[in-house]
Structures are given as structure tokens and as C-alpha cells.
Amino acid sequence: MFTSQPIGFVISPYKIAGEVPKGLGAKHDADGVLKILPEFEPGLTDIEGFSHLVIIWEFDRSHGFDLLGTPPSDNRPHGVFATRSPRRPNPIGLTTVELLRHEGIELHVRGVDMLDGTPILDIKPYLSSIPSEKLRRGWLAEAEARPK
Amino acid sequence: MFTSQPIGFVISPYKIAGEVPKGLGAKHDADGVLKILPEFEPGLTDIEGFSHLVIIWEFDRSHGFDLLGTPPSDNRPHGVFATRSPRRPNPIGLTTVELLRHEGIELHVRGVDMLDGTPILDIKPYLSSIPSEKLRRGWLAEAEARPK
């Protein structure tokens, strides 16, 4: 196995977890900057050709994990692997962002849901999407459909 | 930072890297099994409600990284963060699979592109997709469009 190392850090408007929009209908349209460490800058070559990027990052302010938990979008517990809870066996977060522009070691993006200062582990081009008619969203769709 | 730990392992038809379909037009429709370690089984609760899952895994047979590399789908070098190369600063792979069925500690899935025995780090529900008319695919679209 490996020890994670940051390739950069997120500049985000969110300073504490309570500020990140959560739960049903949460919109993630905040602008932020992915500031890459200078030694990794060549790895960004040609990245501006992609409209969307997948950011893999570390839940560095979360400690420990729960195999079952009740997410903010429901009032029933679900398995951690059926949720986006930060309390996971490997504290890895995943966010798809829209790339607005690439300036040297900075990627200006829309759609951040990470806290300010979050370590970035990896960036990959977002390539494909599942057609919506083939996508089932499990307990989340049920929670949305349930009368409030 | 954290040290990765496997939550399970992939059972895949691919035993060596050369067997995994790569490059332009590569189809990933191989069936496989995600075999989760028994201690993490409660974390799979309710996962069967989702049609697609995002699997985060470790490139455990890749060592070191290149910031610039020429992928099989092109004849020009690109930054590692604009490719899906296994030789990355953090050896993290990402695959979206279709969930066929959940049986105890086994998730039977379609769309594996990992090698047999690959350590699984995390599983998350696949929730959203970028509409295709908003998606730009950078150098990959250019490589596809280039006369062979």
C-alpha cells in the first residue's frame, strides 16, 4: 500500500465543514482554485482542453470511520459505501469540477465542495457519463421522493 | 496524510496489464467481482439501489511516476493529470462500474479495467453526470479526430 502525498491544495470559500452545502438539492457551484505544487506543474500540460476534471482529495479534517451512518439527505442509516460520508476507511473524497481556466500552477474551477486547504491527491480528466436513463440513485432517490 | 488500506480486492479476468483494453475506442465491459473484506461488509448496506458505482483503487503494480507521458491513444506527450496513466504521484485508479448484483461481501459488476487482485480503497455511489453537450474531451477528442 502507499502513503498519500499532496500534489497541491484547494483554495475554497468554505473554511469549516458546516459551510459546505449538504443534503438533498445541495448546489455545488462555488468557485475555487486548485493550487498545484510547483514540482508537479508539468503534469498539468494540456489539461485546459478538458471542460471537467475529477479531483481526488483527502478528508484531512475527518478522523476514523463509521460503516453505517445517517447522511444529511435522509433520516435512515446507510452503508458508508452507499454514501459520500467523510468518515470512510480510506479518507478519500471525489469531486467533479468544471475547469474555468489554467494559469501556471493554478486551476480555476467551479463546483468545489472541499474545505479551504484540503490536500489534493490526484486530478484526472472527466471523460464519460452514464446516460441518465440508465442511472439509478438508490436510497437517495427514495429520500428525495419521500414527503417532507 | 494517510496510509492506504485495502477494503477488498478485485476479481478480474485481466491477469497482466497487456490484457486490459487500452487506447481509443477501448471497451470496458468485462465482468468482475469486488470482494470486500468481511469486516467492512456492513458498509455495503443499501448499495444495491445504485446502478453504477465509482471504484477507487490502487495501481499496486505500478511504481514511480512520469509528469509527462504519451498515452496509448495518442502519439504526443501530455501531462499526467490530463491522462489516466498508472504512473501517477499517488497511484490511485478510478473506474465507474455497473452493479449487477450484491451478494454478501461480493459485488458483481460490469466494466472492470483493473488487474486481478487489485486492492480496492473506496466505493462511492455514482450520482450525477455531465450532459454530453457540455463536455469537452481535450487532446483525446483531437487524437480521435486525427486521420490514422
Side-chain angles (χ1 to χ4, degrees):
Chain A
M1 305 308 285
F2 69 97
T3 301
S4 63
Q5 58 167 323
I7 61 159
F9 294 89
V10 180
I11 300 175
S12 162
Y14 306 124
K15 309 298 178 197
I16 55 168
E19 293 174 355
V20 182
K22 278 194 195 64
L24 295 178
K27 284 222 191 301
H28 294 129
D29 52 10
D31 287 359
V33 177
L34 311 178
K35 198 161 182 177
I36 305 307
L37 297 173
E39 63 262 39
F40 294 113
E41 183 179 352
L44 299 177
T45 305
D46 294 339
I47 205 162
E48 56 279 358
F50 294 92
S51 58
H52 293 77
L53 303 174
V54 178
I55 314 304
I56 299 174
W57 46 276
E58 179 172 341
F59 283 110
D60 65 321
R61 271 149 281 183
S62 176
H63 301 284
F65 64 89
D66 305 306
L67 291 177
L68 282 170
T70 300
S73 40
D74 205 354
N75 50 15
R76 303 172 193 194
H78 303 289
V80 65
F81 303 123
T83 76
R84 297 270 177 150
S85 164
R87 297 179 52 78
R88 322 183 68 80
N90 292 288
I92 298 175
L94 193 68
T95 304
T96 301
V97 296
E98 181 181 356
L99 178 59
L100 302 176
R101 63 184 191 279
H102 170 197
E103 288 176 359
I105 58 168
E106 293 188 349
L107 299 174
H108 292 254
V109 299
R110 178 157 296 157
V112 301
D113 60 356
M114 310 82 141
L115 294 179
D116 192 49
T118 291
I120 302 167
L121 301 179
D122 203 0
I123 298 173
K124 298 180 195 287
Y126 182 96
L127 291 181
S128 63
S129 53
I130 312 295
S132 59
E133 69 273 15
K134 292 198 169 181
L135 192 63
R136 284 184 301 117
R137 293 162 58 250
W139 63 265
L140 195 60
E142 289 166 27
E144 285 173 356
R146 205 175 296 149
K148 296 296 172 299
Chain B
M1 305 310 287
F2 68 96
T3 301
S4 62
Q5 58 168 324
I7 61 159
F9 295 89
V10 179
I11 300 175
S12 161
Y14 305 124
K15 308 300 175 193
I16 56 167
E19 294 174 354
V20 181
K22 279 193 194 67
L24 294 178
K27 285 225 191 300
H28 293 128
D29 51 9
D31 286 0
V33 178
L34 311 179
K35 198 161 183 177
I36 304 307
L37 297 171
E39 63 262 40
F40 295 112
E41 183 178 353
L44 300 177
T45 305
D46 295 339
I47 205 162
E48 57 278 358
F50 294 91
S51 59
H52 293 77
L53 303 174
V54 178
I55 314 305
I56 299 174
W57 46 278
E58 179 172 339
F59 283 110
D60 65 323
R61 271 149 280 184
S62 177
H63 302 283
F65 64 89
D66 304 306
L67 290 177
L68 281 170
T70 301
S73 41
D74 205 354
N75 50 16
R76 303 171 193 194
H78 303 289
V80 64
F81 303 123
T83 76
R84 296 271 177 149
S85 163
R87 296 180 52 78
R88 321 183 70 79
N90 292 287
I92 298 175
L94 194 68
T95 303
T96 301
V97 297
E98 182 181 355
L99 178 60
L100 303 176
R101 62 184 191 279
H102 170 200
E103 288 175 359
I105 59 168
E106 292 187 349
L107 298 175
H108 292 254
V109 298
R110 179 156 294 158
V112 299
D113 61 356
M114 310 81 143
L115 294 179
D116 192 50
T118 291
I120 302 166
L121 301 179
D122 203 359
I123 298 174
K124 297 179 195 287
Y126 182 97
L127 290 181
S128 64
S129 53
I130 312 295
S132 59
E133 69 272 17
K134 290 197 171 182
L135 192 63
R136 283 184 303 117
R137 294 163 57 250
W139 64 264
L140 194 59
E142 288 166 28
E144 285 171 358
R146 205 174 296 148
K148 296 297 173 297

